[in-house]
Structure formats: C-alpha cells, structure tokens
C-alpha cells in the first residue's frame, strides 16, 4: 500500500483556541477519502492544518513519506498538496483564465502552464467557453468548477476539497460529484473531501471519517459507514 498522507495525533487550532484533538488519519494513493461531521466540528480546520495554515500544538504530518509537520504552505504545495477552499476563494474581478493561471503560481515554465490549461479545459469544457468572462459573473456551479480547476492548475497529487456543494442545487451537486469521481479514476488524483452531503460523498469515496467536536468518532470503509445506524440517524441518510 502506498501511503500518501498520514496525520498522527494532531492537535491544532487558532492561537489559544484548540479545535482538533488527537486526530490520526491517513489517505492512500488513489483513494477518495471522505470526512463528514456537523457544522463547527473542525472539518475546515483539519484541511487548513494539513496545508499549514493553523497553529499546531502537537503531533505530526507526513506527505509521501516526507515529514511536513513544520513545512511552509508553499513547500507543501510544491510537494503536491493543494486545497480547494470552502467558499471557493476566487478573484471575482479577474477572468476565468486569470483565475486558473493564479492556481499555477509556483510554476515558472510557460509550456507546462499551457499544458495544464489544456488539461483543465478538457476536463471542464464549459470553462474554456467562458475563459474571458469575469469569475464574479459565473453561476454557482460554474464558480465551483473554476475553484476545482484552479486547484488542478498546481498539478496536485492530493487534492483537499472543502464543501464543494455548499449553496448549489442538488442536480449540480450530483454532476460535481460525478466529475470528481472521474478525476480520481481517469487521472489518478487522490482526494480528501470534506462535505455535509454525507450520502453523495460516501458513494464516491473508498473510506470515511466522522468528526465531531474536533475528534474522530467513527471511521471505516464507505459502505459500512453508509449502513451505520448512528450515522443514518444523525445525518438522515436514507
Ligand atoms: N480563523 C479562526 N479563528 C478562530 N476560530 C476559528 C477560526 N475558524 C474556525 N474557528 C472555530 O473552529 C471551530 C471549527 O470550525 P471549522 O473547522 O470551520 O468547522 P467545520 O468546517 O467543520 O464547520 C469552530 O468552533 C470555529 O468557530
Ligand atoms: Mg467548514
């Protein structure tokens, strides 16, 4: 088994405010791993901690066998870690293509950047049609596609995705999940995905973790989580 990411007993938060409590989890190469949990449980904090944006009090983080616990954010990006943030974090007054180029900020080789643009336009033809349009004028679904595509511009090996379905219509959510599954299967991108749409997420993921109050309270393969009575009740999975 090829371990891509491993957190060991991670404690993290913001300044004095401790959020994550003794988190241990892993993601293997090729997997989609889901993290679910109620609002305020620490899901976003978990992804931010993996990227290096929070205060770490203890524990360690390994990526592709490298101890990245104290590495800077840009070093983690350089190693192949990228986060698609909650709320998308686009530049509304830049065009679609300018937003995409911003995602390749660590790359200096122009032909590589062109190749990546071609790649994301082949995955998201809609964005190619709208390449000159301002990001602020996209629909919610298109904006989320752009956020995902911008994440792909840094050619990640592990993509961390935070609540991509937030505020989108169910039909659009389904098509986004389809797309993400396809990116994983056809392009070998490993993913750690945080979501409130528990059923959609567990249907495309291999394994999952349930987080409550900054702790992991349940973990397992997605099929067994989908059948778990406690989870069914708490998250209204039918
Ligand atoms: N920048 C921040 N500074 C201080 N506390 C924060 C910050 N961001 C989130 N928190 C707190 O951390 C806890 C977990 O939040 P978060 O990770 O955003 O949860 P989730 O993504 O699961 O909804 C909450 O109590 C929240 O208020
Ligand atoms: Mg969140």
């Amino acid at each position: 088994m090829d371990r891509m990411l491993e957190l060991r007993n991670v404690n993290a938060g913001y300044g004095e405010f401790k959020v994550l409590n003794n988190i241990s989890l892993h993601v293997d190469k090729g997997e989609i791993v889901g993290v679910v949990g109620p609002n305020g449980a620490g899901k976003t904090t978990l992804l931010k901690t993996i990227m290096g944006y929070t205060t770490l009090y203890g524990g360690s983080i390994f990526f592709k066998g490298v101890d990245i616990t104290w590495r800077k954010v840009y070093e983690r990006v350089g190693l192949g870690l990228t986060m698609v943030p909650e709320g998308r974090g686009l530049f509304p007054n830049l065009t679609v293509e300018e937003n995409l180029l911003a995602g390749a900020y660590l790359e200096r080789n122009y032909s590589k950047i062109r190749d990546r643009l071609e790649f994301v336009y082949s995955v998201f033809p809609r964005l190619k049609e709208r390449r000159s349009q301002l990001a602020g004028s996209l629909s919610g679904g298109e904006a989320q596609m752009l956020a995902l595509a911008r994440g792909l511009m840094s050619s990640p090996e592990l993509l961390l995705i935070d609540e991509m379905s937030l505020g989108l219509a169910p039909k659009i959510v389904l098509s986004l999940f389809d797309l993400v599954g396809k990116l994983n299967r056809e392009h070998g991108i490993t993913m750690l995905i945080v979501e409130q749409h528990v059923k959609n997420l567990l249907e495309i993921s291999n394994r999952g973790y349930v987080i409550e109050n900054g702790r992991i309270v349940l973990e397992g393969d997605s099929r067994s989580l989908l059948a778990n009575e406690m989870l069914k009740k708490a998250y209204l999975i039918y």
Side-chain angles (χ1 to χ4, degrees):
M1 202 175 306
D2 208 347
R3 189 128 306 180
M4 188 157 260
L5 178 75
E6 181 159 14
L7 273 67
R8 295 184 194 152
N9 303 315
V10 166
N11 291 282
Y14 305 92
E16 305 275 283
F17 188 64
K18 195 165 168 180
V19 177
L20 300 180
N21 214 307
N22 247 11
I23 299 278
S24 294
L25 62 77
H26 68 271
V27 180
D28 290 330
K29 196 172 164 58
E31 277 191 313
I32 296 182
V33 173
V35 176
V36 301
N39 242 332
K43 302 180 300 296
T44 296
T45 305
L46 171 67
L47 297 190
K48 283 186 180 167
T49 298
I50 295 168
M51 292 309 296
Y53 290 120
T54 61
T55 313
L56 195 81
Y57 315 117
S60 46
I61 306 176
F62 291 84
F63 181 60
K64 297 192 294 184
V66 179
D67 185 345
I68 60 163
T69 313
W70 302 109
R71 296 290 184 98
K72 300 243 166 36
V73 175
Y74 73 86
E75 292 180 279
R76 301 180 199 218
V77 176
L79 283 168
L81 258 177
T82 294
M83 177 167 76
V84 178
E86 188 176 10
R88 289 142 208 166
L90 300 171
F91 301 110
N93 296 321
L94 298 185
T95 65
V96 165
E97 188 150 299
E98 286 163 346
N99 269 276
L100 289 173
L101 293 172
Y105 69 105
L106 285 181
E107 184 57 63
R108 291 281 167 266
N109 181 328
Y110 192 69
S111 77
K112 275 194 187 162
I113 295 175
R114 293 256 34 123
D115 289 349
R116 286 186 204 167
L117 258 185
E118 283 312 306
F119 169 66
V120 302
Y121 282 148
S122 74
V123 178
F124 302 94
R126 179 92 63 95
L127 294 180
K128 187 169 188 177
E129 289 165 22
R130 294 174 189 265
R131 65 210 288 177
S132 310
Q133 191 175 320
L134 294 183
S137 68
L138 296 174
S139 72
E142 289 164 352
Q144 186 60 60
M145 281 184 200
L146 179 55
L148 284 167
R150 189 183 53 183
L152 293 175
M153 286 298 290
S154 61
S155 75
E157 288 177 62
L158 175 58
L159 199 56
L160 312 175
I161 307 177
D162 197 355
E163 305 253 14
M164 65 177 166
S165 63
L166 216 63
L168 300 178
K171 216 176 97 185
I172 294 171
V173 172
L174 271 181
S175 70
L176 276 172
F177 273 95
D178 266 0
L179 241 156
V180 159
K182 197 171 137 192
L183 276 170
N184 170 263
R185 285 190 309 276
E186 296 178 10
H187 303 286
I189 299 165
T190 306
M191 304 187 189
L192 181 63
I193 307 181
V194 159
E195 260 301 328
Q196 303 228 3
H197 283 254
V198 175
K199 190 161 180 279
N200 288 338
L201 175 58
L202 291 177
E203 276 169 355
I204 64 157
S205 55
N206 304 91
R207 291 186 301 110
Y209 295 88
V210 181
I211 177 169
E212 283 175 10
N213 285 321
R215 295 170 191 272
I216 290 171
V217 293
L218 193 64
E219 62 181 279
D221 64 86
S222 298
R223 200 166 306 180
S224 67
L225 288 180
L226 274 170
N228 182 287
E229 289 304 323
M230 179 199 110
L231 207 64
K232 271 190 185 170
K233 269 213 190 95
Y235 296 95
L236 304 172
I237 305 175
Y238 299 102

